[in-house]
Amino acid sequence: MDIKDLTKAEEQIMQVLWQLEKAFVKEVIEELPIPKPAYNTVSTIIRILETKGFIGHEAFGKAHQYHPLISKEEYKRHATEKLLGNYFENSVESMFSFFVKEEKLDLSDVDEILKMINKIKHKPR
């Protein structure tokens, strides 16, 4: 399945839906930071997300309760692959080097990464 990119506003709504698992528009708005967007704005973004295949809904009369169709993990994988491909020529080493140079990783982070690598290396195949 080809996952589409999310705008910042769409991603904000998806973060809420991933957290709540299912919600009405009013419940989504309650979880958004102040200043709260208008109901119609959130409703429009939700319809766009539904068109993009990110969410589905269950009807309760005129009201719709929305739920994610794409998991946070699936989107995280998509976004990471895009970041890696577009900015780091698909090189994890290049991305890691960037984060080290930008001081986004401290020694404890590097130590945890090395521990994960060692677990993978010693994992029976």
Side-chain angles (χ1 to χ4, degrees):
M1 180 172 118
D2 188 34
I3 297 178
K4 295 175 175 36
D5 293 333
L6 294 174
T7 66
K8 190 171 184 170
E10 291 167 351
E11 190 171 345
Q12 190 175 34
I13 301 296
M14 284 306 301
Q15 291 290 350
V16 171
L17 282 172
W18 284 322
Q19 175 193 337
L20 297 177
E21 297 180 3
K22 56 185 176 179
F24 295 96
V25 173
K26 182 181 170 198
E27 294 169 322
V28 171
I29 294 169
E30 288 171 7
E31 296 298 317
L32 293 172
I34 296 173
K36 305 281 187 192
Y39 183 96
N40 287 344
T41 302
V42 175
S43 181
T44 298
I45 294 169
I46 284 175
R47 282 195 302 280
I48 291 167
L49 286 166
E50 199 165 20
T51 302
K52 285 184 168 184
F54 276 86
I55 61 175
H57 74 269
E58 185 177 347
F60 291 92
K62 290 184 178 183
H64 291 158
Q65 186 178 49
Y66 297 94
H67 58 274
L69 296 175
I70 293 177
S71 72
K72 188 173 185 175
E73 286 301 311
E74 287 173 291
Y75 191 72
K76 191 187 305 184
R77 190 174 304 111
H78 163 77
T80 304
E81 287 171 0
K82 184 175 180 184
L83 176 71
L84 197 59
N86 288 348
Y87 297 96
F88 301 103
E89 293 80 36
N90 286 318
S91 167
V92 173
E93 181 181 345
S94 177
M95 186 168 76
F96 182 75
S97 174
F98 171 80
F99 286 123
V100 170
K101 286 178 191 167
E102 293 294 313
E103 299 180 5
K104 300 296 182 192
L105 298 172
D106 61 25
L107 286 176
S108 64
D109 294 326
V110 174
D111 190 42
E112 285 301 311
I113 291 168
L114 289 172
K115 285 178 186 175
M116 286 188 282
I117 291 169
N118 280 329
K119 278 185 187 176
I120 292 168
K121 284 169 70 175
H122 295 102
K123 189 176 180 180
R125 294 179 186 207

